[in-house]
Amino acid sequence: MSNDPDRHAQKMAKKKAARDKIMATKTDQKGLIIVHTGKGKGKSSAAFGMIFRCIAHDMQCAVVQFIKGGMSTGERDLILAKFSNTCAFHTMGEGFTWETQDRTRDTEMAQAAWEKAKDLIRDPANSMVLLDEINIALRYDYLDINEVTTFLTEEKPEMTHVVLTGRNAKAELIEVADLVTEMELIKHPFRSGIKAQIGVEY
């Protein structure tokens, strides 16, 4: 980068003109299929960040939790206490699969959560629907990946954003998604003997 103010200004003006030309070809009128996956922390956290953005803009939204049980979390408690008129919140799972140890029951709960999710996605009043940890349900074949991708591509309203979180997103889901982020694990405190903490994980 040049330290000369005039050269810098000229360079930035050219960059802005090129960017404006590119932006003129883009649209902000499309509901996105958004996938957060990977072994790293932050998949649900990032998704709830978008939910809170919707709430801040007074946009109707909804959350369906597929795996996490009824344990208290900061985001769930805050939404239920302060923003339930804007964001419908449905905790449909009964806990992590290694805790329930009941495949039949887990499948039934996942199917019920998917039915609720479809109703919420079909409702054009919802600008965004978060399907938290649905990738886990898909990984264990509690849900049919082809049914999920077909629904998202054929029945999702044009302007509705759907966010799907969880490790091991299936290739079929990644294929139909508009935005995919993989959280990479570099370090995690659990490996050093530190369990999940309030304000960090929940």
Side-chain angles (χ1 to χ4, degrees), residues 141-199:
D141 296 320
Y142 300 159
L143 302 173
D144 181 349
I145 183 61
N146 293 319
E147 179 186 347
V148 171
T149 56
T150 299
F151 177 85
L152 291 173
T153 55
E154 296 183 5
E155 291 194 50
K156 180 184 77 65
E158 184 179 356
M159 287 306 298
T160 302
H161 304 297
V162 179
V163 188
L164 307 95
T165 72
R167 293 183 178 206
N168 302 111
K170 292 208 170 186
E172 296 93 330
L173 182 60
I174 291 172
E175 178 66 25
V176 303
D178 301 289
L179 172 60
V180 180
T181 300
E182 183 172 5
M183 309 297 184
E184 182 182 357
L185 176 62
I186 297 175
K187 291 181 74 174
H188 197 289
F190 188 78
R191 291 180 173 178
S192 302
I194 303 167
K195 295 191 291 187
Q197 298 185 77
I198 293 174

Side-chain angles (χ1 to χ4, degrees), residues 42-55:
K43 297 175 286 293
S44 294
S45 299
F48 275 106
M50 288 190 287
I51 287 291
F52 281 113
R53 282 178 179 160
C54 287
I55 291 171

Side-chain angles (χ1 to χ4, degrees), residues 9-202:
Q10 290 171 7
K11 189 170 185 177
M12 291 303 108
K14 287 181 181 178
K15 186 173 281 192
K16 182 181 185 317
R19 176 123 179 115
D20 289 347
K21 187 176 180 180
I22 292 170
M23 292 301 289
T25 68
K26 308 298 182 184
T27 181
D28 60 358
Q29 298 297 308
K30 183 185 188 305
L32 302 176
I33 299 170
I34 302 168
V35 175
H36 293 174
T37 193
K39 294 181 179 179
K41 173 181 160 39
K43 297 175 286 293
S44 294
S45 299
F48 275 106
M50 288 190 287
I51 287 291
F52 281 113
R53 282 178 179 160
C54 287
I55 291 171
H57 289 292
D58 201 27
M59 298 163 63
Q60 195 73 31
C61 53
V63 176
V64 179
Q65 291 191 305
F66 277 75
I67 300 296
K68 294 168 183 170
M71 69 173 283
S72 172
T73 64
E75 58 271 17
R76 177 173 176 252
D77 293 349
L78 181 60
I79 289 170
L80 291 176
K82 303 286 187 180
F83 305 112
S84 59
N85 289 338
T86 306
C87 183
F89 203 112
H90 301 274
T91 301
M92 307 288 288
E94 293 186 326
F96 294 103
T97 53
W98 59 83
E99 292 176 347
T100 61
Q101 300 174 18
D102 186 338
R103 180 177 177 81
T104 299
R105 182 64 176 162
D106 287 343
T107 301
E108 291 171 354
M109 296 300 290
Q111 293 286 344
W114 175 235
E115 291 304 314
K116 173 59 72 175
K118 289 192 290 185
D119 288 343
L120 292 166
I121 293 167
R122 286 186 182 115
D123 185 350
N126 287 319
S127 298
M128 178 179 287
V129 180
L130 166 56
L131 309 182
D132 192 33
E133 303 287 3
I134 189 175
N135 289 338
I136 305 302
L138 289 165
R139 177 187 182 188
Y140 288 111
D141 296 320
Y142 300 159
L143 302 173
D144 181 349
I145 183 61
N146 293 319
E147 179 186 347
V148 171
T149 56
T150 299
F151 177 85
L152 291 173
T153 55
E154 296 183 5
E155 291 194 50
K156 180 184 77 65
E158 184 179 356
M159 287 306 298
T160 302
H161 304 297
V162 179
V163 188
L164 307 95
T165 72
R167 293 183 178 206
N168 302 111
K170 292 208 170 186
E172 296 93 330
L173 182 60
I174 291 172
E175 178 66 25
V176 303
D178 301 289
L179 172 60
V180 180
T181 300
E182 183 172 5
M183 309 297 184
E184 182 182 357
L185 176 62
I186 297 175
K187 291 181 74 174
H188 197 289
F190 188 78
R191 291 180 173 178
S192 302
I194 303 167
K195 295 191 291 187
Q197 298 185 77
I198 293 174
V200 179
E201 278 86 10
Y202 62 96

